Amino acid sequence: MAIMLLAPIGASATVQTPDEIRIGESVYPLCMRPILASYFAEHPAYDISKGTGGKFEPCNPNSDEELETISTDLFRGYVARLAFVDGRLVVEEMWTSNFGWDTNWTPVIECAMPDPKSRNLDWYSGVLYYLRIDQVENGEDEQEEYSLFQVGIESGRLVSSKKLRSEIHGSSSGISCSAGWGDEPAEEPIISRWCTTDSPSSSECVDVE
């Protein structure tokens, strides 16, 4: 059963895999552009972006070979997990999806951010958007509640948190997060609405590659 996108972001752009955030024991997708783009801009020697076809020697065991992106949904080359530790925002982990043609997720935080102090995001002030999905009891129907949250950050510290909105969907439709395109932070959360081919609104769906 194919998954499709309702009102896609860009007609020909592949939806980009988002970073994630751990809050307590739960991990949620971030619905926004990656905030670590500025870190890699200031530390080009550790830039793990493979969409440019460049070499990334610190993390590449075969440094004489160019790293090639094999997934069009991860042009930046990594997924980072953020977390709040004692109320402060940090980078907890980071993975890349391939070295050459290896599709396994490989931890790269030790070589992409070798200085542990650089993983403390005390330079970041702004907001984070994340999506929480909860099961909803409704008889025999399978339903999920999609809740979009916004947290406020000042100098890397958590200062506010609020639910922006929530929607309940059955098994044939829902909401997904995207990392979007570009390096500048988005002023609004980046989400995609999807539905399956047997959804009542499937006539409005558009295929996603």
Side-chain angles (χ1 to χ4, degrees), residues 118-156:
S118 68
R119 303 169 199 172
N120 297 324
L121 304 184
D122 52 8
W123 49 265
Y124 182 74
S125 294
V127 297
L128 301 176
Y129 299 106
Y130 71 90
L131 185 67
R132 190 180 77 191
I133 304 175
D134 299 302
Q135 298 293 323
V136 177
E137 295 293 336
N138 187 20
E140 297 181 356
D141 294 335
E142 295 183 4
Q143 292 188 328
E144 294 177 317
E145 181 178 11
Y146 294 77
S147 300
L148 187 64
F149 288 81
Q150 173 186 291
V151 294
I153 311 293
E154 289 186 7
S155 300

PDB file of all heavy atoms in Angstrom, residues 118-156:
ATOM      1  N   SER A 118      31.971  21.349  21.866  1.00  0.00           N
ATOM      2  CA  SER A 118      31.224  21.827  20.700  1.00  0.00           C
ATOM      3  C   SER A 118      29.835  21.231  20.633  1.00  0.00           C
ATOM      4  O   SER A 118      28.974  21.722  19.895  1.00  0.00           O
ATOM      5  CB  SER A 118      31.992  21.496  19.413  1.00  0.00           C
ATOM      6  OG  SER A 118      32.025  20.094  19.182  1.00  0.00           O
ATOM      7  N   ARG A 119      29.602  20.171  21.414  1.00  0.00           N
ATOM      8  CA  ARG A 119      28.278  19.530  21.400  1.00  0.00           C
ATOM      9  C   ARG A 119      27.294  20.244  22.323  1.00  0.00           C
ATOM     10  O   ARG A 119      26.101  19.929  22.317  1.00  0.00           O
ATOM     11  CB  ARG A 119      28.420  18.067  21.809  1.00  0.00           C
ATOM     12  CG  ARG A 119      29.392  17.300  20.907  1.00  0.00           C
ATOM     13  CD  ARG A 119      29.732  15.929  21.465  1.00  0.00           C
ATOM     14  NE  ARG A 119      30.953  15.406  20.856  1.00  0.00           N
ATOM     15  CZ  ARG A 119      31.566  14.306  21.253  1.00  0.00           C
ATOM     16  NH1 ARG A 119      31.058  13.591  22.271  1.00  0.00           N
ATOM     17  NH2 ARG A 119      32.680  13.905  20.668  1.00  0.00           N
ATOM     18  N   ASN A 120      27.769  21.186  23.109  1.00  0.00           N
ATOM     19  CA  ASN A 120      26.890  22.034  23.916  1.00  0.00           C
ATOM     20  C   ASN A 120      26.423  23.191  23.047  1.00  0.00           C
ATOM     21  O   ASN A 120      27.232  24.009  22.600  1.00  0.00           O
ATOM     22  CB  ASN A 120      27.629  22.561  25.149  1.00  0.00           C
ATOM     23  CG  ASN A 120      28.057  21.456  26.082  1.00  0.00           C
ATOM     24  OD1 ASN A 120      27.345  20.473  26.248  1.00  0.00           O
ATOM     25  ND2 ASN A 120      29.225  21.615  26.686  1.00  0.00           N
ATOM     26  N   LEU A 121      25.149  23.272  22.780  1.00  0.00           N
ATOM     27  CA  LEU A 121      24.624  24.255  21.830  1.00  0.00           C
ATOM     28  C   LEU A 121      24.229  25.552  22.533  1.00  0.00           C
ATOM     29  O   LEU A 121      23.128  26.070  22.350  1.00  0.00           O
ATOM     30  CB  LEU A 121      23.443  23.658  21.071  1.00  0.00           C
ATOM     31  CG  LEU A 121      23.742  22.343  20.339  1.00  0.00           C
ATOM     32  CD1 LEU A 121      22.543  21.877  19.545  1.00  0.00           C
ATOM     33  CD2 LEU A 121      24.967  22.489  19.437  1.00  0.00           C
ATOM     34  N   ASP A 122      25.170  26.089  23.338  1.00  0.00           N
ATOM     35  CA  ASP A 122      24.871  27.326  24.056  1.00  0.00           C
ATOM     36  C   ASP A 122      24.840  28.541  23.141  1.00  0.00           C
ATOM     37  O   ASP A 122      24.467  29.631  23.569  1.00  0.00           O
ATOM     38  CB  ASP A 122      25.879  27.543  25.192  1.00  0.00           C
ATOM     39  CG  ASP A 122      27.316  27.442  24.729  1.00  0.00           C
ATOM     40  OD1 ASP A 122      27.553  27.350  23.515  1.00  0.00           O
ATOM     41  OD2 ASP A 122      28.218  27.461  25.591  1.00  0.00           O
ATOM     42  N   TRP A 123      25.215  28.359  21.873  1.00  0.00           N
ATOM     43  CA  TRP A 123      25.168  29.444  20.897  1.00  0.00           C
ATOM     44  C   TRP A 123      23.793  29.562  20.245  1.00  0.00           C
ATOM     45  O   TRP A 123      23.513  30.549  19.555  1.00  0.00           O
ATOM     46  CB  TRP A 123      26.213  29.231  19.799  1.00  0.00           C
ATOM     47  CG  TRP A 123      26.188  27.844  19.204  1.00  0.00           C
ATOM     48  CD1 TRP A 123      26.955  26.789  19.575  1.00  0.00           C
ATOM     49  CD2 TRP A 123      25.333  27.370  18.143  1.00  0.00           C
ATOM     50  NE1 TRP A 123      26.641  25.673  18.811  1.00  0.00           N
ATOM     51  CE2 TRP A 123      25.662  26.001  17.933  1.00  0.00           C
ATOM     52  CE3 TRP A 123      24.345  27.961  17.357  1.00  0.00           C
ATOM     53  CZ2 TRP A 123      25.029  25.226  16.964  1.00  0.00           C
ATOM     54  CZ3 TRP A 123      23.703  27.186  16.397  1.00  0.00           C
ATOM     55  CH2 TRP A 123      24.049  25.848  16.215  1.00  0.00           C
ATOM     56  N   TYR A 124      22.925  28.584  20.480  1.00  0.00           N
ATOM     57  CA  TYR A 124      21.642  28.578  19.768  1.00  0.00           C
ATOM     58  C   TYR A 124      20.554  29.279  20.566  1.00  0.00           C
ATOM     59  O   TYR A 124      20.308  28.972  21.739  1.00  0.00           O
ATOM     60  CB  TYR A 124      21.188  27.148  19.460  1.00  0.00           C
ATOM     61  CG  TYR A 124      19.892  27.110  18.669  1.00  0.00           C
ATOM     62  CD1 TYR A 124      19.878  27.454  17.322  1.00  0.00           C
ATOM     63  CD2 TYR A 124      18.684  26.776  19.280  1.00  0.00           C
ATOM     64  CE1 TYR A 124      18.691  27.446  16.600  1.00  0.00           C
ATOM     65  CE2 TYR A 124      17.506  26.764  18.558  1.00  0.00           C
ATOM     66  CZ  TYR A 124      17.514  27.104  17.215  1.00  0.00           C
ATOM     67  OH  TYR A 124      16.342  27.106  16.509  1.00  0.00           O
ATOM     68  N   SER A 125      19.898  30.227  19.923  1.00  0.00           N
ATOM     69  CA  SER A 125      18.699  30.867  20.460  1.00  0.00           C
ATOM     70  C   SER A 125      17.642  30.845  19.369  1.00  0.00           C
ATOM     71  O   SER A 125      17.913  31.216  18.219  1.00  0.00           O
ATOM     72  CB  SER A 125      18.978  32.313  20.893  1.00  0.00           C
ATOM     73  OG  SER A 125      19.869  32.360  21.988  1.00  0.00           O
ATOM     74  N   GLY A 126      16.463  30.392  19.706  1.00  0.00           N
ATOM     75  CA  GLY A 126      15.399  30.281  18.713  1.00  0.00           C
ATOM     76  C   GLY A 126      14.368  29.283  19.183  1.00  0.00           C
ATOM     77  O   GLY A 126      14.143  29.137  20.387  1.00  0.00           O
ATOM     78  N   VAL A 127      13.734  28.609  18.240  1.00  0.00           N
ATOM     79  CA  VAL A 127      12.717  27.622  18.592  1.00  0.00           C
ATOM     80  C   VAL A 127      13.041  26.286  17.941  1.00  0.00           C
ATOM     81  O   VAL A 127      13.782  26.212  16.958  1.00  0.00           O
ATOM     82  CB  VAL A 127      11.296  28.079  18.162  1.00  0.00           C
ATOM     83  CG1 VAL A 127      10.898  29.339  18.905  1.00  0.00           C
ATOM     84  CG2 VAL A 127      11.228  28.288  16.655  1.00  0.00           C
ATOM     85  N   LEU A 128      12.491  25.234  18.521  1.00  0.00           N
ATOM     86  CA  LEU A 128      12.534  23.893  17.937  1.00  0.00           C
ATOM     87  C   LEU A 128      11.096  23.407  17.795  1.00  0.00           C
ATOM     88  O   LEU A 128      10.273  23.634  18.689  1.00  0.00           O
ATOM     89  CB  LEU A 128      13.312  22.926  18.827  1.00  0.00           C
ATOM     90  CG  LEU A 128      14.773  23.247  19.140  1.00  0.00           C
ATOM     91  CD1 LEU A 128      15.332  22.209  20.115  1.00  0.00           C
ATOM     92  CD2 LEU A 128      15.612  23.301  17.877  1.00  0.00           C
ATOM     93  N   TYR A 129      10.802  22.762  16.678  1.00  0.00           N
ATOM     94  CA  TYR A 129       9.484  22.173  16.459  1.00  0.00           C
ATOM     95  C   TYR A 129       9.635  20.653  16.409  1.00  0.00           C
ATOM     96  O   TYR A 129      10.497  20.132  15.702  1.00  0.00           O
ATOM     97  CB  TYR A 129       8.885  22.641  15.129  1.00  0.00           C
ATOM     98  CG  TYR A 129       8.667  24.130  15.026  1.00  0.00           C
ATOM     99  CD1 TYR A 129       9.501  24.922  14.242  1.00  0.00           C
ATOM    100  CD2 TYR A 129       7.613  24.753  15.700  1.00  0.00           C
ATOM    101  CE1 TYR A 129       9.303  26.293  14.131  1.00  0.00           C
ATOM    102  CE2 TYR A 129       7.405  26.119  15.593  1.00  0.00           C
ATOM    103  CZ  TYR A 129       8.254  26.884  14.805  1.00  0.00           C
ATOM    104  OH  TYR A 129       8.054  28.238  14.701  1.00  0.00           O
ATOM    105  N   TYR A 130       8.801  19.954  17.151  1.00  0.00           N
ATOM    106  CA  TYR A 130       8.851  18.491  17.084  1.00  0.00           C
ATOM    107  C   TYR A 130       7.440  17.922  17.081  1.00  0.00           C
ATOM    108  O   TYR A 130       6.472  18.572  17.487  1.00  0.00           O
ATOM    109  CB  TYR A 130       9.682  17.896  18.228  1.00  0.00           C
ATOM    110  CG  TYR A 130       9.084  17.980  19.609  1.00  0.00           C
ATOM    111  CD1 TYR A 130       8.263  16.959  20.099  1.00  0.00           C
ATOM    112  CD2 TYR A 130       9.357  19.057  20.450  1.00  0.00           C
ATOM    113  CE1 TYR A 130       7.715  17.018  21.376  1.00  0.00           C
ATOM    114  CE2 TYR A 130       8.825  19.132  21.730  1.00  0.00           C
ATOM    115  CZ  TYR A 130       8.011  18.102  22.186  1.00  0.00           C
ATOM    116  OH  TYR A 130       7.468  18.170  23.453  1.00  0.00           O
ATOM    117  N   LEU A 131       7.336  16.678  16.598  1.00  0.00           N
ATOM    118  CA  LEU A 131       6.040  16.019  16.432  1.00  0.00           C
ATOM    119  C   LEU A 131       5.955  14.814  17.357  1.00  0.00           C
ATOM    120  O   LEU A 131       6.841  13.963  17.371  1.00  0.00           O
ATOM    121  CB  LEU A 131       5.879  15.566  14.977  1.00  0.00           C
ATOM    122  CG  LEU A 131       4.532  14.949  14.585  1.00  0.00           C
ATOM    123  CD1 LEU A 131       3.424  15.991  14.646  1.00  0.00           C
ATOM    124  CD2 LEU A 131       4.615  14.338  13.179  1.00  0.00           C
ATOM    125  N   ARG A 132       4.880  14.764  18.148  1.00  0.00           N
ATOM    126  CA  ARG A 132       4.634  13.612  19.015  1.00  0.00           C
ATOM    127  C   ARG A 132       3.419  12.863  18.499  1.00  0.00           C
ATOM    128  O   ARG A 132       2.398  13.473  18.173  1.00  0.00           O
ATOM    129  CB  ARG A 132       4.388  14.061  20.458  1.00  0.00           C
ATOM    130  CG  ARG A 132       4.371  12.906  21.467  1.00  0.00           C
ATOM    131  CD  ARG A 132       4.113  13.421  22.868  1.00  0.00           C
ATOM    132  NE  ARG A 132       2.703  13.744  23.060  1.00  0.00           N
ATOM    133  CZ  ARG A 132       2.223  14.415  24.116  1.00  0.00           C
ATOM    134  NH1 ARG A 132       3.055  14.857  25.042  1.00  0.00           N
ATOM    135  NH2 ARG A 132       0.936  14.644  24.226  1.00  0.00           N
ATOM    136  N   ILE A 133       3.527  11.533  18.421  1.00  0.00           N
ATOM    137  CA  ILE A 133       2.437  10.700  17.927  1.00  0.00           C
ATOM    138  C   ILE A 133       2.000   9.758  19.039  1.00  0.00           C
ATOM    139  O   ILE A 133       2.814   9.007  19.584  1.00  0.00           O
ATOM    140  CB  ILE A 133       2.873   9.889  16.690  1.00  0.00           C
ATOM    141  CG1 ILE A 133       3.405  10.833  15.605  1.00  0.00           C
ATOM    142  CG2 ILE A 133       1.710   9.061  16.155  1.00  0.00           C
ATOM    143  CD1 ILE A 133       3.967  10.106  14.397  1.00  0.00           C
ATOM    144  N   ASP A 134       0.725   9.820  19.405  1.00  0.00           N
ATOM    145  CA  ASP A 134       0.177   8.989  20.471  1.00  0.00           C
ATOM    146  C   ASP A 134      -0.969   8.141  19.935  1.00  0.00           C
ATOM    147  O   ASP A 134      -1.751   8.582  19.087  1.00  0.00           O
ATOM    148  CB  ASP A 134      -0.347   9.862  21.626  1.00  0.00           C
ATOM    149  CG  ASP A 134       0.742  10.701  22.258  1.00  0.00           C
ATOM    150  OD1 ASP A 134       1.729  10.118  22.740  1.00  0.00           O
ATOM    151  OD2 ASP A 134       0.607  11.939  22.270  1.00  0.00           O
ATOM    152  N   GLN A 135      -1.064   6.911  20.430  1.00  0.00           N
ATOM    153  CA  GLN A 135      -2.186   6.052  20.090  1.00  0.00           C
ATOM    154  C   GLN A 135      -3.455   6.564  20.774  1.00  0.00           C
ATOM    155  O   GLN A 135      -3.425   7.011  21.924  1.00  0.00           O
ATOM    156  CB  GLN A 135      -1.914   4.617  20.522  1.00  0.00           C
ATOM    157  CG  GLN A 135      -0.713   3.983  19.835  1.00  0.00           C
ATOM    158  CD  GLN A 135      -0.959   3.773  18.353  1.00  0.00           C
ATOM    159  OE1 GLN A 135      -2.072   3.447  17.936  1.00  0.00           O
ATOM    160  NE2 GLN A 135       0.082   3.938  17.554  1.00  0.00           N
ATOM    161  N   VAL A 136      -4.572   6.492  20.059  1.00  0.00           N
ATOM    162  CA  VAL A 136      -5.853   6.950  20.588  1.00  0.00           C
ATOM    163  C   VAL A 136      -6.818   5.767  20.640  1.00  0.00           C
ATOM    164  O   VAL A 136      -7.000   5.059  19.643  1.00  0.00           O
ATOM    165  CB  VAL A 136      -6.454   8.081  19.717  1.00  0.00           C
ATOM    166  CG1 VAL A 136      -7.822   8.492  20.243  1.00  0.00           C
ATOM    167  CG2 VAL A 136      -5.512   9.275  19.694  1.00  0.00           C
ATOM    168  N   GLU A 137      -7.410   5.554  21.788  1.00  0.00           N
ATOM    169  CA  GLU A 137      -8.402   4.487  21.938  1.00  0.00           C
ATOM    170  C   GLU A 137      -9.737   4.942  21.372  1.00  0.00           C
ATOM    171  O   GLU A 137     -10.307   5.936  21.792  1.00  0.00           O
ATOM    172  CB  GLU A 137      -8.561   4.129  23.420  1.00  0.00           C
ATOM    173  CG  GLU A 137      -7.324   3.533  24.060  1.00  0.00           C
ATOM    174  CD  GLU A 137      -6.993   2.158  23.497  1.00  0.00           C
ATOM    175  OE1 GLU A 137      -7.917   1.496  22.977  1.00  0.00           O
ATOM    176  OE2 GLU A 137      -5.821   1.763  23.569  1.00  0.00           O
ATOM    177  N   ASN A 138     -10.224   4.198  20.371  1.00  0.00           N
ATOM    178  CA  ASN A 138     -11.505   4.547  19.750  1.00  0.00           C
ATOM    179  C   ASN A 138     -12.164   3.279  19.215  1.00  0.00           C
ATOM    180  O   ASN A 138     -12.318   3.079  18.023  1.00  0.00           O
ATOM    181  CB  ASN A 138     -11.305   5.573  18.628  1.00  0.00           C
ATOM    182  CG  ASN A 138     -12.635   6.075  18.076  1.00  0.00           C
ATOM    183  OD1 ASN A 138     -13.664   5.974  18.726  1.00  0.00           O
ATOM    184  ND2 ASN A 138     -12.594   6.601  16.872  1.00  0.00           N
ATOM    185  N   GLY A 139     -12.528   2.415  20.142  1.00  0.00           N
ATOM    186  CA  GLY A 139     -13.164   1.174  19.730  1.00  0.00           C
ATOM    187  C   GLY A 139     -12.196   0.306  18.955  1.00  0.00           C
ATOM    188  O   GLY A 139     -11.061   0.098  19.356  1.00  0.00           O
ATOM    189  N   GLU A 140     -12.652  -0.201  17.814  1.00  0.00           N
ATOM    190  CA  GLU A 140     -11.816  -1.077  16.998  1.00  0.00           C
ATOM    191  C   GLU A 140     -10.984  -0.304  15.975  1.00  0.00           C
ATOM    192  O   GLU A 140     -10.130  -0.884  15.318  1.00  0.00           O
ATOM    193  CB  GLU A 140     -12.698  -2.102  16.280  1.00  0.00           C
ATOM    194  CG  GLU A 140     -13.442  -3.041  17.223  1.00  0.00           C
ATOM    195  CD  GLU A 140     -14.277  -4.041  16.477  1.00  0.00           C
ATOM    196  OE1 GLU A 140     -14.328  -3.941  15.222  1.00  0.00           O
ATOM    197  OE2 GLU A 140     -14.883  -4.920  17.121  1.00  0.00           O
ATOM    198  N   ASP A 141     -11.249   0.987  15.823  1.00  0.00           N
ATOM    199  CA  ASP A 141     -10.512   1.775  14.840  1.00  0.00           C
ATOM    200  C   ASP A 141      -9.113   2.097  15.350  1.00  0.00           C
ATOM    201  O   ASP A 141      -8.925   2.413  16.526  1.00  0.00           O
ATOM    202  CB  ASP A 141     -11.249   3.088  14.537  1.00  0.00           C
ATOM    203  CG  ASP A 141     -12.584   2.850  13.855  1.00  0.00           C
ATOM    204  OD1 ASP A 141     -12.718   1.790  13.211  1.00  0.00           O
ATOM    205  OD2 ASP A 141     -13.480   3.700  13.984  1.00  0.00           O
ATOM    206  N   GLU A 142      -8.131   2.007  14.456  1.00  0.00           N
ATOM    207  CA  GLU A 142      -6.772   2.398  14.785  1.00  0.00           C
ATOM    208  C   GLU A 142      -6.604   3.883  14.472  1.00  0.00           C
ATOM    209  O   GLU A 142      -6.689   4.296  13.323  1.00  0.00           O
ATOM    210  CB  GLU A 142      -5.774   1.577  13.980  1.00  0.00           C
ATOM    211  CG  GLU A 142      -5.780   0.093  14.314  1.00  0.00           C
ATOM    212  CD  GLU A 142      -4.722  -0.658  13.535  1.00  0.00           C
ATOM    213  OE1 GLU A 142      -3.950   0.007  12.797  1.00  0.00           O
ATOM    214  OE2 GLU A 142      -4.670  -1.883  13.651  1.00  0.00           O
ATOM    215  N   GLN A 143      -6.379   4.669  15.494  1.00  0.00           N
ATOM    216  CA  GLN A 143      -6.212   6.096  15.318  1.00  0.00           C
ATOM    217  C   GLN A 143      -4.991   6.585  16.084  1.00  0.00           C
ATOM    218  O   GLN A 143      -4.578   5.980  17.081  1.00  0.00           O
ATOM    219  CB  GLN A 143      -7.459   6.867  15.788  1.00  0.00           C
ATOM    220  CG  GLN A 143      -8.676   6.632  14.919  1.00  0.00           C
ATOM    221  CD  GLN A 143      -9.823   7.554  15.282  1.00  0.00           C
ATOM    222  OE1 GLN A 143      -9.990   7.930  16.435  1.00  0.00           O
ATOM    223  NE2 GLN A 143     -10.614   7.927  14.290  1.00  0.00           N
ATOM    224  N   GLU A 144      -4.428   7.685  15.599  1.00  0.00           N
ATOM    225  CA  GLU A 144      -3.274   8.285  16.238  1.00  0.00           C
ATOM    226  C   GLU A 144      -3.474   9.792  16.337  1.00  0.00           C
ATOM    227  O   GLU A 144      -4.047  10.411  15.433  1.00  0.00           O
ATOM    228  CB  GLU A 144      -1.988   7.990  15.460  1.00  0.00           C
ATOM    229  CG  GLU A 144      -1.611   6.511  15.464  1.00  0.00           C
ATOM    230  CD  GLU A 144      -0.390   6.241  14.623  1.00  0.00           C
ATOM    231  OE1 GLU A 144      -0.316   6.807  13.516  1.00  0.00           O
ATOM    232  OE2 GLU A 144       0.477   5.475  15.068  1.00  0.00           O
ATOM    233  N   GLU A 145      -2.990  10.362  17.430  1.00  0.00           N
ATOM    234  CA  GLU A 145      -3.042  11.806  17.608  1.00  0.00           C
ATOM    235  C   GLU A 145      -1.665  12.379  17.296  1.00  0.00           C
ATOM    236  O   GLU A 145      -0.659  11.990  17.899  1.00  0.00           O
ATOM    237  CB  GLU A 145      -3.444  12.174  19.031  1.00  0.00           C
ATOM    238  CG  GLU A 145      -3.524  13.684  19.251  1.00  0.00           C
ATOM    239  CD  GLU A 145      -3.974  14.054  20.649  1.00  0.00           C
ATOM    240  OE1 GLU A 145      -4.018  13.161  21.513  1.00  0.00           O
ATOM    241  OE2 GLU A 145      -4.291  15.241  20.873  1.00  0.00           O
ATOM    242  N   TYR A 146      -1.613  13.304  16.340  1.00  0.00           N
ATOM    243  CA  TYR A 146      -0.385  13.969  15.938  1.00  0.00           C
ATOM    244  C   TYR A 146      -0.362  15.349  16.583  1.00  0.00           C
ATOM    245  O   TYR A 146      -1.194  16.202  16.272  1.00  0.00           O
ATOM    246  CB  TYR A 146      -0.317  14.106  14.412  1.00  0.00           C
ATOM    247  CG  TYR A 146      -0.217  12.788  13.681  1.00  0.00           C
ATOM    248  CD1 TYR A 146      -1.344  11.980  13.504  1.00  0.00           C
ATOM    249  CD2 TYR A 146       0.991  12.343  13.165  1.00  0.00           C
ATOM    250  CE1 TYR A 146      -1.260  10.773  12.832  1.00  0.00           C
ATOM    251  CE2 TYR A 146       1.090  11.136  12.487  1.00  0.00           C
ATOM    252  CZ  TYR A 146      -0.038  10.357  12.328  1.00  0.00           C
ATOM    253  OH  TYR A 146       0.049   9.165  11.666  1.00  0.00           O
ATOM    254  N   SER A 147       0.590  15.566  17.494  1.00  0.00           N
ATOM    255  CA  SER A 147       0.678  16.833  18.227  1.00  0.00           C
ATOM    256  C   SER A 147       1.987  17.531  17.887  1.00  0.00           C
ATOM    257  O   SER A 147       3.068  16.945  17.994  1.00  0.00           O
ATOM    258  CB  SER A 147       0.602  16.593  19.738  1.00  0.00           C
ATOM    259  OG  SER A 147      -0.615  15.968  20.094  1.00  0.00           O
ATOM    260  N   LEU A 148       1.875  18.791  17.476  1.00  0.00           N
ATOM    261  CA  LEU A 148       3.030  19.593  17.113  1.00  0.00           C
ATOM    262  C   LEU A 148       3.381  20.515  18.272  1.00  0.00           C
ATOM    263  O   LEU A 148       2.535  21.264  18.767  1.00  0.00           O
ATOM    264  CB  LEU A 148       2.732  20.409  15.858  1.00  0.00           C
ATOM    265  CG  LEU A 148       3.878  21.188  15.242  1.00  0.00           C
ATOM    266  CD1 LEU A 148       4.963  20.240  14.733  1.00  0.00           C
ATOM    267  CD2 LEU A 148       3.367  22.069  14.101  1.00  0.00           C
ATOM    268  N   PHE A 149       4.641  20.443  18.720  1.00  0.00           N
ATOM    269  CA  PHE A 149       5.100  21.230  19.857  1.00  0.00           C
ATOM    270  C   PHE A 149       6.165  22.231  19.426  1.00  0.00           C
ATOM    271  O   PHE A 149       6.906  22.010  18.469  1.00  0.00           O
ATOM    272  CB  PHE A 149       5.692  20.321  20.941  1.00  0.00           C
ATOM    273  CG  PHE A 149       4.679  19.518  21.692  1.00  0.00           C
ATOM    274  CD1 PHE A 149       4.175  18.339  21.161  1.00  0.00           C
ATOM    275  CD2 PHE A 149       4.224  19.937  22.935  1.00  0.00           C
ATOM    276  CE1 PHE A 149       3.249  17.589  21.859  1.00  0.00           C
ATOM    277  CE2 PHE A 149       3.287  19.190  23.641  1.00  0.00           C
ATOM    278  CZ  PHE A 149       2.796  18.015  23.093  1.00  0.00           C
ATOM    279  N   GLN A 150       6.237  23.310  20.180  1.00  0.00           N
ATOM    280  CA  GLN A 150       7.277  24.318  19.990  1.00  0.00           C
ATOM    281  C   GLN A 150       7.975  24.544  21.326  1.00  0.00           C
ATOM    282  O   GLN A 150       7.331  24.752  22.341  1.00  0.00           O
ATOM    283  CB  GLN A 150       6.693  25.640  19.504  1.00  0.00           C
ATOM    284  CG  GLN A 150       7.707  26.789  19.447  1.00  0.00           C
ATOM    285  CD  GLN A 150       7.042  28.100  19.111  1.00  0.00           C
ATOM    286  OE1 GLN A 150       6.568  28.295  17.985  1.00  0.00           O
ATOM    287  NE2 GLN A 150       6.971  29.010  20.079  1.00  0.00           N
ATOM    288  N   VAL A 151       9.308  24.468  21.318  1.00  0.00           N
ATOM    289  CA  VAL A 151      10.075  24.787  22.515  1.00  0.00           C
ATOM    290  C   VAL A 151      10.965  25.985  22.217  1.00  0.00           C
ATOM    291  O   VAL A 151      11.520  26.114  21.123  1.00  0.00           O
ATOM    292  CB  VAL A 151      10.928  23.591  22.999  1.00  0.00           C
ATOM    293  CG1 VAL A 151      10.040  22.457  23.473  1.00  0.00           C
ATOM    294  CG2 VAL A 151      11.851  23.091  21.907  1.00  0.00           C
ATOM    295  N   GLY A 152      11.073  26.884  23.191  1.00  0.00           N
ATOM    296  CA  GLY A 152      11.893  28.079  23.040  1.00  0.00           C
ATOM    297  C   GLY A 152      13.253  27.875  23.689  1.00  0.00           C
ATOM    298  O   GLY A 152      13.349  27.321  24.785  1.00  0.00           O
ATOM    299  N   ILE A 153      14.294  28.337  22.998  1.00  0.00           N
ATOM    300  CA  ILE A 153      15.661  28.181  23.465  1.00  0.00           C
ATOM    301  C   ILE A 153      16.338  29.551  23.510  1.00  0.00           C
ATOM    302  O   ILE A 153      16.237  30.324  22.548  1.00  0.00           O
ATOM    303  CB  ILE A 153      16.490  27.259  22.538  1.00  0.00           C
ATOM    304  CG1 ILE A 153      15.738  25.952  22.237  1.00  0.00           C
ATOM    305  CG2 ILE A 153      17.862  26.995  23.132  1.00  0.00           C
ATOM    306  CD1 ILE A 153      15.555  25.071  23.431  1.00  0.00           C
ATOM    307  N   GLU A 154      17.004  29.849  24.601  1.00  0.00           N
ATOM    308  CA  GLU A 154      17.821  31.059  24.706  1.00  0.00           C
ATOM    309  C   GLU A 154      19.210  30.661  25.189  1.00  0.00           C
ATOM    310  O   GLU A 154      19.353  30.089  26.270  1.00  0.00           O
ATOM    311  CB  GLU A 154      17.197  32.071  25.671  1.00  0.00           C
ATOM    312  CG  GLU A 154      15.937  32.733  25.158  1.00  0.00           C
ATOM    313  CD  GLU A 154      15.421  33.827  26.084  1.00  0.00           C
ATOM    314  OE1 GLU A 154      16.139  34.140  27.065  1.00  0.00           O
ATOM    315  OE2 GLU A 154      14.326  34.353  25.834  1.00  0.00           O
ATOM    316  N   SER A 155      20.198  30.947  24.359  1.00  0.00           N
ATOM    317  CA  SER A 155      21.593  30.600  24.667  1.00  0.00           C
ATOM    318  C   SER A 155      21.720  29.140  25.093  1.00  0.00           C
ATOM    319  O   SER A 155      22.406  28.807  26.060  1.00  0.00           O
ATOM    320  CB  SER A 155      22.144  31.524  25.752  1.00  0.00           C
ATOM    321  OG  SER A 155      22.113  32.871  25.326  1.00  0.00           O
ATOM    322  N   GLY A 156      21.028  28.281  24.358  1.00  0.00           N
ATOM    323  CA  GLY A 156      21.117  26.852  24.601  1.00  0.00           C
ATOM    324  C   GLY A 156      20.313  26.333  25.768  1.00  0.00           C
ATOM    325  O   GLY A 156      20.389  25.142  26.085  1.00  0.00           O
TER     326      GLY A 156
END
